[in-house]
Amino acid sequence: MLKSLSKALASVALVAFASSAFAEKGEQWLTDMDEAQKVAKAEGKSIFMFFTGSDWCGWCIKLDNEVLSKEEFLAYAKDNLVLVDLDFPQGEDVITEEQRAHNDKWKDVFKPRGFPTVYLTDASAKAFAQTGYQAGGPVAYVDHLKALIEGKKATEQLQADIAKAKGLKRAKLLDQLLNTDGAMIDDKNGKIEEIVALTEGKDDTLYNKYHTIQVGNNMMSDLGKVYRGEGSNEEKLDQILAVFSSYDSVKEGQALHRLLGSIGDQFIKTGQTENGAAFMDKITSDSSYPLEIQQTTALFKAIITANASEVDHEKAIKFYDQAMAMDPESQTGKRAKMMKEKLAEKASAQS
């Protein structure tokens, strides 16, 4: 009872604190994007769009307290930024329904993946950079923003150079553009396809790099179609395995990691843990795959085994050991060690 009351009081305190912080932001902050665009156009400033959850998002509150409310940040913003607060509170009375609808509209436009998210845009609300919480306080954050705004100028110059370039020179400039830190680049997939076309048979390094990305994008697109479609877990497993078979020449890359993870998850959902472990074991034993993928599938084999309806703890721990031994210092090796220890504790508690 006391514990529940303490939690409730803590929650109320957090909401009150966050709401207070929101209220204290001051006149320098706008809440209307139409007004912000007019000001940005008239004063030649960039728009600082802050997507936040003022009464529930810990990192948003942290960014607000450590940076956005500080004089160093506000002084820089006064001459360079139009500040816009787009709040998505859980409390019903923190903002008006009209404001909530306005914020939802811009959330639908930008689709931030999490909070806090900051977009820097021009006066037309076209984003040129994305960021969020950064440790180090207001001075470091201002330096970070300056770099992003300077980067916009460099990106614009690069895009102008690309417009004039042809052949391999164009491909190399496109590569440079796609690797610009923090920049929001339009039609990335189209640029990737162009690099592949320009470099095939002419620059193996760039071709292999972007062909792998292109194939990975196609793989993820096909996987997305499976998940968006109808069908039972068993049918989805068959469809995902078909996607894997259609890309059997792909031996590395982040997309392959994600596809294999989806396959493992689907084997668990269907209760086919023995078949799933056997599937992963084939890849673990296949020397045509790099060590990174072999170790990943060794870990997936252990995870699948540990999620069987009747867990053979000894076997699962053995598989975790196998994954660890392949490269103990890799992230996958360290993850295998952590998961093995948790499983061993669980097994010990049950015995």
Side-chain angles (χ1 to χ4, degrees), residues 43-237:
E43 299 182 5
K45 296 177 181 178
S46 298
I47 300 174
F48 181 97
M49 297 179 70
F50 178 41
F51 284 86
T52 180
S54 67
D55 63 357
W56 60 269
C57 171
W59 289 105
C60 303
I61 296 168
K62 205 169 162 57
L63 178 57
D64 215 340
N65 289 340
E66 294 178 10
V67 175
L68 305 185
S69 60
K70 300 299 184 184
E71 183 57 38
E72 296 92 336
F73 171 80
L74 293 172
Y76 171 75
K78 184 176 181 180
D79 295 327
N80 298 279
L81 302 172
V82 180
L83 303 177
V84 184
D85 191 280
L86 298 166
D87 193 14
F88 296 83
Q90 291 181 347
E92 294 183 2
D93 299 328
V94 178
I95 60 174
T96 65
E97 286 303 313
E98 182 181 15
Q99 185 66 50
R100 199 176 292 272
H102 168 275
N103 296 355
D104 283 338
K105 168 191 167 183
W106 287 99
K107 183 182 178 185
D108 289 342
V109 171
F110 282 85
K111 296 180 171 57
R113 293 187 178 182
F115 290 2
T117 295
V118 171
Y119 292 100
L120 294 177
T121 83
D122 61 18
S124 68
K126 180 179 179 180
F128 60 84
Q130 177 182 343
T131 186
Y133 175 81
Q134 297 276 329
V139 174
Y141 204 85
V142 165
D143 288 342
H144 170 61
L145 295 178
K146 286 178 179 177
L148 292 176
I149 292 171
E150 283 300 312
K152 178 194 177 203
K153 297 175 184 175
T155 299
E156 289 172 343
Q157 181 58 56
L158 191 53
Q159 288 171 326
D161 293 341
I162 289 169
K164 302 173 188 174
K166 296 181 180 179
L168 281 179
K169 183 178 179 181
R170 181 178 174 88
K172 290 176 181 178
L173 289 172
L174 285 168
D175 172 53
Q176 191 176 335
L177 178 65
L178 291 173
N179 286 280
T180 302
D181 288 341
M184 305 283 288
I185 310 298
D186 292 333
D187 190 21
K188 284 188 177 181
N189 288 342
K191 290 175 174 59
I192 289 166
E193 290 175 4
E194 186 176 358
I195 293 173
V196 170
L198 289 169
T199 58
E200 186 172 9
K202 298 174 183 177
D203 186 322
D204 289 344
T205 300
L206 275 181
Y207 174 80
N208 290 335
K209 174 183 175 181
Y210 283 98
H211 183 255
T212 298
I213 295 171
Q214 182 184 48
V215 171
N217 288 344
N218 294 339
M219 187 189 292
M220 288 299 96
S221 176
D222 290 346
L223 180 62
K225 289 175 185 176
V226 172
Y227 280 119
R228 289 192 298 272
E230 301 293 331
S232 65
N233 281 327
E234 287 76 12
E235 290 170 330
K236 287 187 183 298
L237 173 60

